[in-house]
Amino acid sequence: MTNQEILKIAMAQSAIDLCAEPADFEKNENVIVTSRESEGARRYLKLPFSCQLVSYGNNVVASVSPEFREIAENYINKYPVEHLFETPHLHVLNDMLLKKGQKICFMAEYFLPDINLLQPLDCSYELRILTPPDFVDLYRSEWSNALCEARKELDVLGVGAYDGDRLIGLAGCSADCEQMWQIGIDVLPEYRRQGIAAALTSLLAIEILKRGKVPFYCAAWSNIKSVRNAIRSGFRPAWVEMTAKSIETVDGMNGFTNEK
């Protein structure tokens, strides 16, 4: 699989998620589409979107519910694409969303492997390939990035690092859609800064590609440790997303309630 083929698969999946066309992400002008339930979308997405902005660098594709179309159109045509996902401009969007009961919720950067850079990395500890039967007793807080207890059925493959018989690091991937598997990584605090995370991530990415799937990696751009791990593991930035959610959802995530 080439880098270009990997990118095309990612764009095709984004098109399914957003109810857009893959070619929309390569246009020079911004695109607005109507969000709806979409067969084949990433399984953790809550559809339809109220307002979802996605960019692979050329433009922005906005997938919106009809009542948010004017807001999205006014915003994405107001600023250059490279400034649409940053403050102070996002305050403008958030103020408009508030009037319709929404807030900016998630902002993330997504990474794809660079085939020219991806390779097994040295690790001082034993690495083992793991499959779902090995995960049964691992749905614990220390492995909550690598595995997802709420969606156990999607956890399909992993790589563990072992100090003797003790699991000290775990990279896992979930089959979030038909052709793309998302990688998550955890390393116990006392074993960090030894290159374990990168060794686990790169090996898991290689194993995913062997199975004919595309590995992808997500991080908040403020999570420097995670971004560094992605780059060290042979991944490079591919696209960014911004998701709006209801005020109640965002406030709930922040521990706020409406109780007096």
Side-chain angles (χ1 to χ4, degrees), residues 138-150:
L138 299 181
Y139 288 96
R140 305 192 299 267
S141 59
E142 60 264 42
W143 313 123
S144 60
N145 290 311
L147 301 174
C148 180
E149 187 169 14

mmCIF file with all atom_site columns, all heavy atoms in Angstrom, residues 138-150:
data_model
loop_
_atom_site.group_PDB
_atom_site.id
_atom_site.type_symbol
_atom_site.label_atom_id
_atom_site.label_alt_id
_atom_site.label_comp_id
_atom_site.label_asym_id
_atom_site.label_entity_id
_atom_site.label_seq_id
_atom_site.pdbx_PDB_ins_code
_atom_site.Cartn_x
_atom_site.Cartn_y
_atom_site.Cartn_z
_atom_site.occupancy
_atom_site.B_iso_or_equiv
_atom_site.pdbx_formal_charge
_atom_site.auth_seq_id
_atom_site.auth_comp_id
_atom_site.auth_asym_id
_atom_site.auth_atom_id
_atom_site.pdbx_PDB_model_num
ATOM 1   N N   . LEU A 1 138 ? -7.894  -7.018 30.568 1.00 0.00 ? 138 LEU A N   1
ATOM 2   C CA  . LEU A 1 138 ? -7.122  -5.782 30.423 1.00 0.00 ? 138 LEU A CA  1
ATOM 3   C C   . LEU A 1 138 ? -7.974  -4.523 30.347 1.00 0.00 ? 138 LEU A C   1
ATOM 4   O O   . LEU A 1 138 ? -7.443  -3.430 30.123 1.00 0.00 ? 138 LEU A O   1
ATOM 5   C CB  . LEU A 1 138 ? -6.236  -5.871 29.171 1.00 0.00 ? 138 LEU A CB  1
ATOM 6   C CG  . LEU A 1 138 ? -5.202  -7.003 29.174 1.00 0.00 ? 138 LEU A CG  1
ATOM 7   C CD1 . LEU A 1 138 ? -4.377  -6.959 27.885 1.00 0.00 ? 138 LEU A CD1 1
ATOM 8   C CD2 . LEU A 1 138 ? -4.284  -6.920 30.392 1.00 0.00 ? 138 LEU A CD2 1
ATOM 9   N N   . TYR A 1 139 ? -9.277  -4.656 30.548 1.00 0.00 ? 139 TYR A N   1
ATOM 10  C CA  . TYR A 1 139 ? -10.139 -3.470 30.507 1.00 0.00 ? 139 TYR A CA  1
ATOM 11  C C   . TYR A 1 139 ? -10.090 -2.775 31.867 1.00 0.00 ? 139 TYR A C   1
ATOM 12  O O   . TYR A 1 139 ? -11.015 -2.814 32.663 1.00 0.00 ? 139 TYR A O   1
ATOM 13  C CB  . TYR A 1 139 ? -11.553 -3.862 30.089 1.00 0.00 ? 139 TYR A CB  1
ATOM 14  C CG  . TYR A 1 139 ? -11.616 -4.223 28.623 1.00 0.00 ? 139 TYR A CG  1
ATOM 15  C CD1 . TYR A 1 139 ? -11.539 -5.547 28.207 1.00 0.00 ? 139 TYR A CD1 1
ATOM 16  C CD2 . TYR A 1 139 ? -11.700 -3.231 27.654 1.00 0.00 ? 139 TYR A CD2 1
ATOM 17  C CE1 . TYR A 1 139 ? -11.554 -5.880 26.859 1.00 0.00 ? 139 TYR A CE1 1
ATOM 18  C CE2 . TYR A 1 139 ? -11.726 -3.555 26.305 1.00 0.00 ? 139 TYR A CE2 1
ATOM 19  C CZ  . TYR A 1 139 ? -11.650 -4.876 25.911 1.00 0.00 ? 139 TYR A CZ  1
ATOM 20  O OH  . TYR A 1 139 ? -11.660 -5.189 24.570 1.00 0.00 ? 139 TYR A OH  1
ATOM 21  N N   . ARG A 1 140 ? -8.931  -2.114 32.083 1.00 0.00 ? 140 ARG A N   1
ATOM 22  C CA  . ARG A 1 140 ? -8.670  -1.394 33.321 1.00 0.00 ? 140 ARG A CA  1
ATOM 23  C C   . ARG A 1 140 ? -8.198  0.015  32.976 1.00 0.00 ? 140 ARG A C   1
ATOM 24  O O   . ARG A 1 140 ? -7.834  0.309  31.834 1.00 0.00 ? 140 ARG A O   1
ATOM 25  C CB  . ARG A 1 140 ? -7.609  -2.129 34.159 1.00 0.00 ? 140 ARG A CB  1
ATOM 26  C CG  . ARG A 1 140 ? -7.952  -3.583 34.464 1.00 0.00 ? 140 ARG A CG  1
ATOM 27  C CD  . ARG A 1 140 ? -7.030  -4.159 35.535 1.00 0.00 ? 140 ARG A CD  1
ATOM 28  N NE  . ARG A 1 140 ? -5.632  -4.150 35.148 1.00 0.00 ? 140 ARG A NE  1
ATOM 29  C CZ  . ARG A 1 140 ? -5.003  -5.167 34.553 1.00 0.00 ? 140 ARG A CZ  1
ATOM 30  N NH1 . ARG A 1 140 ? -5.682  -6.277 34.278 1.00 0.00 ? 140 ARG A NH1 1
ATOM 31  N NH2 . ARG A 1 140 ? -3.733  -5.083 34.244 1.00 0.00 ? 140 ARG A NH2 1
ATOM 32  N N   . SER A 1 141 ? -8.190  0.873  33.964 1.00 0.00 ? 141 SER A N   1
ATOM 33  C CA  . SER A 1 141 ? -7.905  2.289  33.727 1.00 0.00 ? 141 SER A CA  1
ATOM 34  C C   . SER A 1 141 ? -6.538  2.523  33.102 1.00 0.00 ? 141 SER A C   1
ATOM 35  O O   . SER A 1 141 ? -6.373  3.429  32.280 1.00 0.00 ? 141 SER A O   1
ATOM 36  C CB  . SER A 1 141 ? -8.016  3.077  35.030 1.00 0.00 ? 141 SER A CB  1
ATOM 37  O OG  . SER A 1 141 ? -7.098  2.580  36.006 1.00 0.00 ? 141 SER A OG  1
ATOM 38  N N   . GLU A 1 142 ? -5.560  1.705  33.451 1.00 0.00 ? 142 GLU A N   1
ATOM 39  C CA  . GLU A 1 142 ? -4.210  1.938  32.918 1.00 0.00 ? 142 GLU A CA  1
ATOM 40  C C   . GLU A 1 142 ? -4.107  1.647  31.424 1.00 0.00 ? 142 GLU A C   1
ATOM 41  O O   . GLU A 1 142 ? -3.143  2.062  30.780 1.00 0.00 ? 142 GLU A O   1
ATOM 42  C CB  . GLU A 1 142 ? -3.159  1.130  33.689 1.00 0.00 ? 142 GLU A CB  1
ATOM 43  C CG  . GLU A 1 142 ? -3.338  -0.378 33.659 1.00 0.00 ? 142 GLU A CG  1
ATOM 44  C CD  . GLU A 1 142 ? -4.076  -0.891 34.878 1.00 0.00 ? 142 GLU A CD  1
ATOM 45  O OE1 . GLU A 1 142 ? -5.052  -0.247 35.285 1.00 0.00 ? 142 GLU A OE1 1
ATOM 46  O OE2 . GLU A 1 142 ? -3.646  -1.941 35.409 1.00 0.00 ? 142 GLU A OE2 1
ATOM 47  N N   . TRP A 1 143 ? -5.099  0.951  30.870 1.00 0.00 ? 143 TRP A N   1
ATOM 48  C CA  . TRP A 1 143 ? -5.070  0.628  29.431 1.00 0.00 ? 143 TRP A CA  1
ATOM 49  C C   . TRP A 1 143 ? -6.268  1.247  28.707 1.00 0.00 ? 143 TRP A C   1
ATOM 50  O O   . TRP A 1 143 ? -6.685  0.764  27.664 1.00 0.00 ? 143 TRP A O   1
ATOM 51  C CB  . TRP A 1 143 ? -5.053  -0.895 29.237 1.00 0.00 ? 143 TRP A CB  1
ATOM 52  C CG  . TRP A 1 143 ? -4.056  -1.611 30.095 1.00 0.00 ? 143 TRP A CG  1
ATOM 53  C CD1 . TRP A 1 143 ? -4.290  -2.594 30.983 1.00 0.00 ? 143 TRP A CD1 1
ATOM 54  C CD2 . TRP A 1 143 ? -2.629  -1.375 30.141 1.00 0.00 ? 143 TRP A CD2 1
ATOM 55  N NE1 . TRP A 1 143 ? -3.132  -3.000 31.603 1.00 0.00 ? 143 TRP A NE1 1
ATOM 56  C CE2 . TRP A 1 143 ? -2.086  -2.268 31.100 1.00 0.00 ? 143 TRP A CE2 1
ATOM 57  C CE3 . TRP A 1 143 ? -1.769  -0.509 29.478 1.00 0.00 ? 143 TRP A CE3 1
ATOM 58  C CZ2 . TRP A 1 143 ? -0.734  -2.311 31.407 1.00 0.00 ? 143 TRP A CZ2 1
ATOM 59  C CZ3 . TRP A 1 143 ? -0.410  -0.538 29.791 1.00 0.00 ? 143 TRP A CZ3 1
ATOM 60  C CH2 . TRP A 1 143 ? 0.095   -1.429 30.739 1.00 0.00 ? 143 TRP A CH2 1
ATOM 61  N N   . SER A 1 144 ? -6.787  2.341  29.234 1.00 0.00 ? 144 SER A N   1
ATOM 62  C CA  . SER A 1 144 ? -8.029  2.911  28.698 1.00 0.00 ? 144 SER A CA  1
ATOM 63  C C   . SER A 1 144 ? -7.858  3.629  27.372 1.00 0.00 ? 144 SER A C   1
ATOM 64  O O   . SER A 1 144 ? -8.841  3.895  26.677 1.00 0.00 ? 144 SER A O   1
ATOM 65  C CB  . SER A 1 144 ? -8.642  3.872  29.718 1.00 0.00 ? 144 SER A CB  1
ATOM 66  O OG  . SER A 1 144 ? -7.743  4.932  30.015 1.00 0.00 ? 144 SER A OG  1
ATOM 67  N N   . ASN A 1 145 ? -6.636  3.977  26.987 1.00 0.00 ? 145 ASN A N   1
ATOM 68  C CA  . ASN A 1 145 ? -6.405  4.539  25.652 1.00 0.00 ? 145 ASN A CA  1
ATOM 69  C C   . ASN A 1 145 ? -6.232  3.441  24.609 1.00 0.00 ? 145 ASN A C   1
ATOM 70  O O   . ASN A 1 145 ? -6.642  3.589  23.461 1.00 0.00 ? 145 ASN A O   1
ATOM 71  C CB  . ASN A 1 145 ? -5.167  5.437  25.649 1.00 0.00 ? 145 ASN A CB  1
ATOM 72  C CG  . ASN A 1 145 ? -5.377  6.717  26.420 1.00 0.00 ? 145 ASN A CG  1
ATOM 73  O OD1 . ASN A 1 145 ? -6.366  7.410  26.222 1.00 0.00 ? 145 ASN A OD1 1
ATOM 74  N ND2 . ASN A 1 145 ? -4.464  7.035  27.322 1.00 0.00 ? 145 ASN A ND2 1
ATOM 75  N N   . ALA A 1 146 ? -5.629  2.340  25.014 1.00 0.00 ? 146 ALA A N   1
ATOM 76  C CA  . ALA A 1 146 ? -5.383  1.233  24.084 1.00 0.00 ? 146 ALA A CA  1
ATOM 77  C C   . ALA A 1 146 ? -6.639  0.416  23.817 1.00 0.00 ? 146 ALA A C   1
ATOM 78  O O   . ALA A 1 146 ? -6.835  -0.092 22.708 1.00 0.00 ? 146 ALA A O   1
ATOM 79  C CB  . ALA A 1 146 ? -4.277  0.335  24.632 1.00 0.00 ? 146 ALA A CB  1
ATOM 80  N N   . LEU A 1 147 ? -7.491  0.272  24.832 1.00 0.00 ? 147 LEU A N   1
ATOM 81  C CA  . LEU A 1 147 ? -8.706  -0.531 24.720 1.00 0.00 ? 147 LEU A CA  1
ATOM 82  C C   . LEU A 1 147 ? -9.903  0.291  25.166 1.00 0.00 ? 147 LEU A C   1
ATOM 83  O O   . LEU A 1 147 ? -9.767  1.199  25.982 1.00 0.00 ? 147 LEU A O   1
ATOM 84  C CB  . LEU A 1 147 ? -8.603  -1.786 25.595 1.00 0.00 ? 147 LEU A CB  1
ATOM 85  C CG  . LEU A 1 147 ? -7.436  -2.741 25.303 1.00 0.00 ? 147 LEU A CG  1
ATOM 86  C CD1 . LEU A 1 147 ? -7.393  -3.847 26.361 1.00 0.00 ? 147 LEU A CD1 1
ATOM 87  C CD2 . LEU A 1 147 ? -7.542  -3.327 23.909 1.00 0.00 ? 147 LEU A CD2 1
ATOM 88  N N   . CYS A 1 148 ? -11.072 -0.039 24.642 1.00 0.00 ? 148 CYS A N   1
ATOM 89  C CA  . CYS A 1 148 ? -12.294 0.699  24.995 1.00 0.00 ? 148 CYS A CA  1
ATOM 90  C C   . CYS A 1 148 ? -13.334 -0.278 25.516 1.00 0.00 ? 148 CYS A C   1
ATOM 91  O O   . CYS A 1 148 ? -13.888 -1.081 24.748 1.00 0.00 ? 148 CYS A O   1
ATOM 92  C CB  . CYS A 1 148 ? -12.836 1.457  23.793 1.00 0.00 ? 148 CYS A CB  1
ATOM 93  S SG  . CYS A 1 148 ? -14.334 2.397  24.155 1.00 0.00 ? 148 CYS A SG  1
ATOM 94  N N   . GLU A 1 149 ? -13.598 -0.217 26.823 1.00 0.00 ? 149 GLU A N   1
ATOM 95  C CA  . GLU A 1 149 ? -14.533 -1.157 27.429 1.00 0.00 ? 149 GLU A CA  1
ATOM 96  C C   . GLU A 1 149 ? -15.941 -1.000 26.875 1.00 0.00 ? 149 GLU A C   1
ATOM 97  O O   . GLU A 1 149 ? -16.689 -1.965 26.756 1.00 0.00 ? 149 GLU A O   1
ATOM 98  C CB  . GLU A 1 149 ? -14.553 -0.971 28.939 1.00 0.00 ? 149 GLU A CB  1
ATOM 99  C CG  . GLU A 1 149 ? -15.364 -2.014 29.668 1.00 0.00 ? 149 GLU A CG  1
ATOM 100 C CD  . GLU A 1 149 ? -15.162 -1.994 31.170 1.00 0.00 ? 149 GLU A CD  1
ATOM 101 O OE1 . GLU A 1 149 ? -14.604 -1.000 31.671 1.00 0.00 ? 149 GLU A OE1 1
ATOM 102 O OE2 . GLU A 1 149 ? -15.557 -2.972 31.833 1.00 0.00 ? 149 GLU A OE2 1
ATOM 103 N N   . ALA A 1 150 ? -16.309 0.233  26.490 1.00 0.00 ? 150 ALA A N   1
ATOM 104 C CA  . ALA A 1 150 ? -17.659 0.479  25.978 1.00 0.00 ? 150 ALA A CA  1
ATOM 105 C C   . ALA A 1 150 ? -17.869 -0.124 24.595 1.00 0.00 ? 150 ALA A C   1
ATOM 106 O O   . ALA A 1 150 ? -19.012 -0.328 24.174 1.00 0.00 ? 150 ALA A O   1
ATOM 107 C CB  . ALA A 1 150 ? -17.936 1.971  25.945 1.00 0.00 ? 150 ALA A CB  1
#
